[in-house]
Amino acid sequence: MTRAFSRPALICNSQSGSHDPTIREAIEEACRAAGKPIAATFELPHDEIPDAAALRAKDIDLLIVWTGDGTINAAATEAAGWDGAILPLPGGTLNLLSKALHGDRPAPEILADALGGRVRRRPVPIVRAESGTAFITIVAGPATRWAEVRETMRQDGIVEASRAAPDALETMLNAPGVRVAGQDTAYPAIILTPTETGLRADGILTEGSMDVLRHGLAWLGGDFRDGPSEEVARAETIILESEAPISLEYDGELAETPSPARFALGMSTIDFVATA
């Protein structure tokens, strides 16, 4: 049985477009109602993400991360070596890790279950690469340009996003694709997902105008995995190749790596709290 948590801390980002003071108050109230008020708040961008030493110094046993997937990734990395657990709550654009652990539920409801002991605590499978670690997915290939369009829409609105969309479409359809080593077919993007038994690689399909439209809508709508795709490999280690440097999206954060690039299954060094 999971030991009850008693000293929660909160990470949030007051400058994020997804930050809602009403939800923040509901999170704080849920902790007070459970008799476990928030013991420390780390408010980005003014405060730093706490490392293991900072969490131990405040005797924190539950780190509530109410931000996007990229910040959750950074918090888990900084907290390595701490013996508490991380509770991701939906507070960003995609919220993929929160959905994977809790389903598509509101933050206060998830928190009430966690503080009430209705949880499972465990490490989660991850994707390891030379350039970073992902807790949900790594998307590799030129179609990651759609992530820039999505961010433009979030920050500047649909008009500015519509101006960036043609370049993303051109890149997705015509830039050198990415393929699994040993295979001939290249894709505009390959999605790497960690599972308990290995990495799963899915190549996105753009065989007709409807596929292209569905991918654009999937990226802009939040979850790129909703577009048409096919499984192309499943293994503990997968190597991707391209005729150009490979664009990447790690849990919502953009990067680039030389080709070939090696990706391997791993397990997180810190526990996460799941309520679903």
Side-chain angles (χ1 to χ4, degrees):
M1 180 178 293
T2 301
R3 178 174 61 86
F5 299 108
S6 60
R7 294 271 297 173
L10 174 66
I11 294 180
C12 62
N13 186 343
S14 61
Q15 300 302 308
S16 168
S18 302
H19 185 87
D20 185 333
T22 302
I23 297 177
R24 178 171 174 176
E25 174 58 31
I27 290 171
E28 294 170 347
E29 176 56 31
C31 291
R32 289 192 293 266
K36 302 164 185 179
I38 291 175
T41 298
F42 303 92
E43 186 173 304
L44 308 177
H46 309 295
D47 298 327
E48 294 183 354
I49 294 174
D51 60 13
L55 294 170
R56 284 194 292 264
K58 295 180 180 294
D59 199 26
I60 302 302
D61 58 4
L62 179 67
L63 184 58
I64 303 165
V65 189
W66 178 49
T67 58
D69 289 310
T71 304
I72 294 169
N73 187 316
T77 301
E78 287 293 322
W82 171 59
D83 62 359
I86 292 179
L87 174 67
L89 296 180
T93 303
L94 301 181
N95 304 313
L96 297 180
L97 186 53
S98 176
K99 289 176 182 175
L101 295 172
H102 313 300
D104 192 4
R105 297 197 292 153
E109 181 180 313
I110 295 167
L111 183 55
D113 279 353
L115 296 177
R118 298 179 291 276
V119 300
R120 290 173 291 113
R121 172 179 172 166
R122 56 179 174 81
V124 298
I126 59 175
V127 188
R128 294 192 184 280
E130 182 177 340
S131 50
T133 298
F135 291 82
I136 286 293
T137 54
I138 290 179
V139 185
T144 56
R145 280 291 302 276
W146 281 104
E148 299 176 18
V149 180
R150 183 185 62 217
E151 187 63 17
T152 298
M153 184 172 69
R154 189 180 72 84
Q155 293 187 357
D156 302 321
I158 193 168
V159 173
E160 289 300 319
S162 68
R163 293 173 179 153
D167 286 342
L169 179 61
E170 169 70 18
T171 300
M172 182 176 75
L173 295 179
N174 297 314
V178 62
R179 63 186 177 273
V180 173
Q183 298 185 9
D184 295 329
T185 304
Y187 296 88
I190 289 178
I191 302 170
L192 299 174
T193 305
T195 73
E196 298 290 344
T197 57
L199 299 182
R200 171 174 168 160
D202 293 276
I204 73 167
L205 300 174
T206 54
E207 297 175 349
S209 58
M210 285 304 298
D211 283 351
V212 173
L213 176 61
R214 289 173 62 191
H215 275 298
L217 293 174
W219 280 86
L220 297 179
D223 194 343
F224 40 78
R225 298 173 300 178
D226 289 341
S229 63
E230 63 182 5
E231 183 175 338
V232 295
R234 193 183 290 258
E236 289 193 3
T237 299
I238 291 177
I239 296 175
L240 299 183
E241 299 174 334
S242 177
E243 306 309 320
I246 301 173
S247 299
L248 302 172
E249 186 183 36
Y250 285 82
D251 292 343
E253 302 296 319
L254 296 175
E256 187 176 86
T257 190
S259 173
R262 180 180 181 273
F263 302 88
L265 178 69
M267 294 298 290
S268 65
T269 59
I270 195 164
D271 284 347
F272 284 80
V273 172
T275 61

